[in-house]
Amino acid sequence: MTRCRAALLALLTVAAIMVALSPAAPARAADEGPEQIVNGTFDAGTAPWWSTGNTTLSVDGGRLCADIPGGTANPWDVIIGQDGVPLVAGDTYAYRFTASATPAKVGKALIQLPVDPWTQYLSAAPALDVPGDGYSYTFTAPVSLPNAQVAFQLGGSAEPWRFCMDDVSLKGGAEPEVYEPDTGPRVRVNMVGYLPSGPKKATLVTEATTPLDWELRDAARKRVANGRTSPKGVDASSGQNVHTIDFGAYAKPGEGYTLTADGETSRPFDIGASVYDSLPTDALKFYYTQRSGIEILDSLRPGYGRPAGHAGASPNQGDTDVPCRPGVCDYTLNVKGGWYDAGDHGKYVVNGGISVHQLMSAYERDRAAFTDGQLRIPESGNGVPDVLDEARWEQEFILSMQVPDGKPYAGMAHHKVHDQNWTGLPLLPHLDPQKRELHPPSTAATLNLAATAAQAARLFAPYDAAFAARNLKAARRAWAAAKANPTRYATPDDGVGGGAYDDADVSDEFYWAAAELYLTTGEKEFADFVLASPHHTGDIWRERGFDWGNTAQLGRLDLATVPNALPGRDKVRQSVVAGADKYLAVQRAHPYGLPYAPADFDWGSNNLVLNNLVVLATAYDLTGQEKYRAAVREGMDYLLGRNALNRSYVTGYGEVSAQNQHSRWYAYQLDHSLPHPPRGSLAGGPNSAIQDPVAQRLLRGCKPQFCYIDDIESWSTNELTINWNSPLAWVSAFLADKGEQSACRVRYSAHGSWPGGFTSQIVIENTGRESVDGWTLSWSFPGGQRIRQGWEAEFAQSGAVVTATSLGHNDRIRPGRSVTFGFVGTHDSGPNPAPEVFRLNGDRCR
């Protein structure tokens, strides 16, 4: 979850209720209240309307018109308004006007407090076009006010344009509208599709309480399967009475399937082994267009090209020489680069930490699945897997946030860097004129740096020894600094211009950092810290899942999966399986198959669903039990359409998907010259707290699954962030993994070691009933190990990934028999644990 808007909550009124009707739709108003707008028809000229000094009002053909200058940054840079508009608390108002734009633009129509904090009682973003149209809105005033302000904010356009309006009216006595989202057919499916060998379930919303007939039809409308639904009762998260349709027995691949039940037909979906093949790549491609400090090339991302943001060129004021907030430090830092955290221009170490960690962890789980050139980024072709190149872009930024030697709190990390004040939407990064500021160092940020740098040290060792060593040095400095300053917490009031990301308990970050440092170095100090931490044996598997503020789970997952010699490691693995069992039980009890079921949904609930799926997927990797993999597959259905809103939360996936996530540069809804978010972007999802004005107006009283609206202004339900796409990338890579459990067992043993070298032997045993005719065994070394010489197999190594292939005379492995081969290798200082995941001809051995 991101808290980028927490500082705005004091500016908002929770009581406001407003529903925007479509353009030209009539407001349901009594029209008996007095007119509150003076001269809304402009028959008497322009008074008392006013404008900012950069535009002039005139009457043209009976309409008020103004030439809006180009080159402004924020919507409020150009305003046309009227003051002194009275409001009565509890009264519902109908607000109407006609307006046009040449060329077409999106404006902002506001009724608000006329002084700081400019509390908005109505906020709408009408799409204005050349012919012009009528717009109607209703809202209920939360306070009585003699002098509210009606304002049209029209700035933020690169080029000049002309605005005209007429028939502006505000009358009380209107009847409030009730917002009802379009949820489409009552049969809810994963609109992307289902894997042939996986579970296939859909949800039917119905008033029926007894089983109903269902039919599965192919693209030619031919019935290919049928059955009866299973009633599940009323789902607490949606308030709906639902049935489950289970068509898992049907496994024939195809496109354009539909399900019909209770007179409703679902949206189309596919069945096939490749339904998730593109999602890992698209989820990772999201990060290139989130980059700060570098030009985004249109040749690599057509439609998303833009100049480098915050690279030191005017009007930017950073990030090449950024000062601290007053009283924080006496130096500046070059913190150019990294990823923009979310839909604004802030960069945060704590949110960047979990994000870059999960990208590196996806790679560490299955290094062979990630290749050089996969993402089409500027670094493609350098011999390093693209996912590591992308992770490095963020990791370099995190390292740059470390306090220099000789300064107070040397070795700690500044918590964040962002604008001095909030900016409006839309605003491309290179046009942001705000002063940039470093915020105080925090223990949480310092431990995020220690953890990700330690992880980067082992993963980059095969590709860039110098960068790996730099990361390990920075990790050690950060660890020492955090121990010396264990309670320097980010505060909840440090959020002007960016989110606070406050966290007053960093014991989990200490555990995570110690775990990563132990996995990379094998040193006793870190092992002892891990074993003594209450997070090592406690039940850390929260119902709500883990996130940037709850990171002990990251350490536990890595200790369970990354090869190491920690005492009692079997219990660590067992604890991960126990956590997965908890989420599996939640999922099996949930009518929509969700492994997440708190009474109220959290900010970024989709990210929490995914992180619970990470735990389930890890349990599958540890045990090979199909129930855990099936749970991951079913859990993904929710994000891709099997939900109360019948919507995919991943842009570009499914017939109806999120398109208007909160962002200053993916802002098509506000400026049609800008794009929607790129394919593979995850929306935050339902949030019961509905903190933003749009959500508060439209979603008041919503059941958890309905606390979402695909609107760019709804930052509490519809933001996109780097730490929400990171588990999407991790889980989708797991789902795209076509490896099955193979009937084989591998024994890896070290026969000798010496400083910088070792010799190992591998035995492959065929535990199945059929012969293996020709074999290739692949595995990954945990660090910088290299094979120098081998026997009884042909060896190839790319980075950490090794393949050993049979030689002809040992091609065949009969049932119950084995083959043996070995090699001499080299390794850098540090641990040299045995690899634990082996794939024989692409499938996992046990």
Side-chain angles (χ1 to χ4, degrees):
M1 174 188 104
T2 181
R3 294 181 179 173
C4 287
R5 305 297 176 275
L8 289 182
L9 297 184
L11 309 184
L12 306 175
T13 174
V14 177
I17 305 168
M18 169 272 198
V19 174
L21 307 179
S22 59
R28 296 167 58 191
D31 284 333
E32 295 179 354
E35 179 62 67
Q36 307 297 314
I37 301 296
V38 178
N39 190 26
T41 59
F42 309 106
D43 295 336
T46 62
W49 294 88
W50 54 264
S51 66
T52 48
N54 50 2
T55 190
T56 300
L57 303 181
S58 63
V59 176
D60 183 354
R63 302 179 300 164
L64 182 145
C65 294
D67 292 319
I68 310 302
T72 57
N74 296 295
W76 54 81
D77 291 339
V78 184
I79 304 175
I80 296 173
Q82 183 175 132
D83 295 331
V85 177
L87 298 178
V88 176
D91 199 0
T92 298
Y93 293 85
Y95 181 49
R96 298 167 172 159
F97 58 89
T98 62
S100 66
T102 307
K105 293 290 177 183
V106 175
K108 293 195 73 172
L110 306 172
I111 298 178
Q112 62 186 11
L113 189 71
V115 294
D116 190 42
W118 309 100
T119 306
Q120 296 171 2
Y121 311 123
L122 181 152
S123 175
L128 311 172
D129 57 21
V130 176
D133 213 333
Y135 303 86
S136 297
Y137 307 92
T138 63
F139 74 100
T140 300
V143 295
S144 292
L145 196 70
N147 61 336
Q149 181 182 89
V150 170
F152 292 88
Q153 293 184 352
L154 306 171
S157 174
E159 71 276 359
W161 58 287
R162 186 167 177 80
F163 170 77
C164 293
M165 67 177 180
D166 201 358
D167 299 323
V168 186
S169 173
L170 179 68
K171 291 184 178 182
E175 181 181 347
E177 283 288 327
V178 177
Y179 173 69
E180 294 183 4
D182 180 5
T183 57
R186 289 183 288 105
V187 183
R188 312 290 161 76
V189 299
N190 177 335
M191 289 182 281
V192 172
Y194 299 84
L195 294 165
S197 61
K200 302 176 194 69
K201 294 181 181 179
T203 297
L204 169 67
V205 180
T206 177
E207 294 181 358
T209 57
T210 58
L212 299 171
D213 293 330
W214 61 261
E215 293 183 343
L216 175 68
R217 296 182 179 272
D218 62 17
R221 305 300 299 150
K222 176 184 177 183
R223 188 179 75 178
V224 296
N226 64 288
R228 300 276 282 173
T229 66
S230 299
K232 297 298 181 181
V234 176
D235 165 40
S237 68
S238 66
Q240 300 167 324
N241 187 73
V242 299
H243 293 203
T244 295
I245 300 171
D246 189 339
F247 58 107
Y250 188 82
K252 183 178 179 180
E255 298 179 352
Y257 286 103
T258 55
L259 277 169
T260 298
D262 198 23
E264 294 276 324
T265 299
S266 74
R267 290 173 176 144
F269 58 89
D270 299 340
I271 297 175
S274 62
V275 293
Y276 290 114
D277 281 5
S278 64
L279 185 52
T281 297
D282 286 338
L284 289 170
K285 281 185 172 182
F286 166 82
Y287 290 92
Y288 174 56
T289 52
Q290 286 291 116
R291 285 190 188 187
S292 175
I294 187 174
E295 178 187 5
I296 305 304
L297 298 174
D298 200 68
S299 58
L300 297 181
R301 295 293 185 277
Y304 291 91
R306 58 173 172 81
H310 299 95
S314 180
N316 289 164
Q317 298 188 37
D319 291 342
T320 55
D321 192 29
V322 182
C324 284
R325 297 194 72 194
V328 171
C329 74
D330 63 357
Y331 52 84
T332 63
L333 291 180
N334 181 351
V335 293
K336 176 184 172 183
W339 300 321
Y340 295 117
D341 174 75
D344 59 68
H345 304 132
K347 300 187 294 189
Y348 306 80
V349 172
V350 293
N351 216 40
I354 189 173
S355 305
V356 74
H357 165 80
Q358 289 192 300
L359 263 61
M360 291 192 290
S361 289
Y363 170 76
E364 195 160 23
R365 176 190 176 268
D366 184 6
R367 304 181 197 218
F370 299 92
T371 60
D372 183 19
Q374 176 184 13
L375 303 182
R376 292 190 71 238
I377 55 178
E379 298 82 3
S380 293
N382 65 356
V384 179
D386 283 356
V387 65
L388 288 186
D389 284 323
E390 194 59 69
R392 181 169 182 163
W393 190 262
E394 176 70 3
Q395 188 60 28
E396 292 270 16
F397 159 71
I398 291 175
L399 295 178
S400 74
M401 293 286 279
Q402 196 162 32
V403 176
D405 287 337
K407 298 296 183 180
Y409 306 110
M412 294 193 77
H414 286 275
H415 198 69
K416 56 182 180 171
V417 57
H418 57 63
D419 291 336
Q420 186 179 43
N421 296 293
W422 287 105
T423 58
L425 283 73
L427 181 62
L428 288 166
H430 70 286
L431 298 177
D432 176 16
Q434 288 276 346
K435 178 184 178 182
R436 305 283 274 179
E437 293 179 326
L438 292 168
H439 289 247
S442 72
T443 308
T446 303
L447 291 166
N448 270 259
L449 188 157
T452 60
Q455 184 182 21
R458 64 178 181 266
L459 294 183
F460 282 91
Y463 301 103
D464 189 335
F467 184 62
R470 177 181 158 209
N471 271 278
L472 186 54
K473 181 179 178 181
R476 291 184 186 278
R477 286 184 65 229
W479 175 258
K483 287 201 301 179
N485 302 275
T487 58
R488 283 193 59 82
Y489 303 133
T491 59
D493 59 350
D494 188 21
V496 177
Y501 285 94
D502 52 301
D503 186 355
D505 179 1
V506 296
S507 59
D508 51 331
E509 282 86 0
F510 267 109
Y511 176 73
W512 173 34
E516 299 296 345
L517 279 159
Y518 169 72
L519 291 171
T520 299
T521 68
E523 293 173 7
K524 184 176 184 299
E525 174 191 357
F526 306 118
D528 289 347
F529 193 98
V530 164
L531 294 171
S533 171
H535 293 290
H536 189 58
T537 54
D539 182 5
I540 59 175
W541 309 111
R542 303 190 321 150
E543 172 191 44
R544 298 177 181 275
F546 62 86
D547 57 14
W548 63 266
N550 298 272
T551 59
Q553 297 86 340
L554 305 179
R556 187 86 68 87
L557 290 168
D558 272 9
L559 289 168
T561 56
V562 177
N564 67 87
L566 187 73
R569 185 165 173 243
D570 284 345
K571 290 185 177 180
V572 175
R573 292 178 165 224
Q574 292 166 12
S575 77
V576 173
V577 176
D581 286 337
K582 177 186 292 188
Y583 298 138
L584 184 60
V586 171
Q587 182 184 59
R588 287 176 171 174
H590 200 287
Y592 271 97
L594 261 175
Y596 169 86
D600 296 309
F601 279 23
D602 299 272
W603 194 332
S605 60
N606 286 343
N607 144 80
L608 299 173
V609 171
L610 284 164
N611 282 332
N612 287 351
L613 295 181
V614 169
V615 179
L616 286 159
T618 303
Y620 172 75
D621 286 345
L622 294 174
T623 68
Q625 294 184 38
E626 181 59 28
K627 64 181 180 180
Y628 299 118
R629 181 168 66 169
V632 180
R633 292 171 170 177
E634 183 176 355
M636 196 67 180
D637 294 345
Y638 168 82
L639 296 169
L640 296 175
R642 186 190 167 198
N643 54 57
L645 288 169
N646 201 5
R647 173 184 297 276
S648 167
Y649 290 110
V650 182
T651 303
Y653 280 80
E655 187 176 84
V656 177
S657 67
Q659 297 287 322
N660 298 305
Q661 289 96 313
H662 179 80
S663 170
R664 281 158 176 73
W665 52 99
Y666 313 128
Y668 179 87
Q669 186 179 353
L670 300 179
D671 183 343
H672 289 356
S673 70
L674 297 175
H676 288 296
R679 176 179 169 88
S681 301
L682 179 69
N687 171 16
S688 298
I690 57 171
Q691 290 97 328
D692 65 83
V694 171
Q696 288 171 355
R697 291 191 302 267
L698 303 183
L699 305 177
R700 192 166 182 255
C702 56
K703 291 290 186 179
Q705 280 204 58
F706 283 101
C707 296
Y708 170 84
I709 183 168
D710 186 24
D711 189 291
I712 194 170
E713 300 280 5
S714 183
W715 38 262
S716 68
T717 77
N718 201 37
E719 194 165 25
L720 46 74
T721 78
I722 56 175
N723 68 307
W724 296 346
N725 253 64
S726 57
L728 176 64
W730 197 106
V731 171
S732 59
F734 175 88
L735 291 169
D737 182 356
K738 294 181 174 60
E740 298 292 335
Q741 300 299 317
S742 183
C744 56
R745 183 181 299 115
V746 173
R747 297 192 300 274
Y748 180 104
S749 56
H751 282 194
S753 63
W754 55 92
F758 65 101
T759 181
S760 294
Q761 178 176 282
I762 295 179
V763 178
I764 309 173
E765 180 183 355
N766 183 352
T767 60
R769 297 181 179 181
E770 298 181 359
S771 292
V772 176
D773 294 313
W775 53 266
T776 296
L777 188 76
S778 62
W779 70 90
S780 296
F781 283 124
Q785 298 92 332
R786 303 288 303 183
I787 290 179
R788 293 306 181 199
Q789 181 181 0
W791 54 90
E792 291 300 302
E794 182 178 341
F795 295 89
Q797 184 169 356
S798 175
V801 181
V802 180
T803 57
T805 305
S806 57
L807 296 177
H809 67 273
N810 60 358
D811 272 351
R812 174 167 292 184
I813 313 175
R814 298 183 184 277
R817 306 298 293 273
S818 62
V819 297
T820 302
F821 60 92
F823 58 87
V824 175
T826 62
H827 71 93
D828 299 327
S829 60
N832 182 28
E836 295 175 349
V837 177
F838 296 88
R839 292 180 181 264
L840 183 65
N841 295 336
D843 293 332
R844 282 193 173 215
C845 291
R846 287 291 165 193

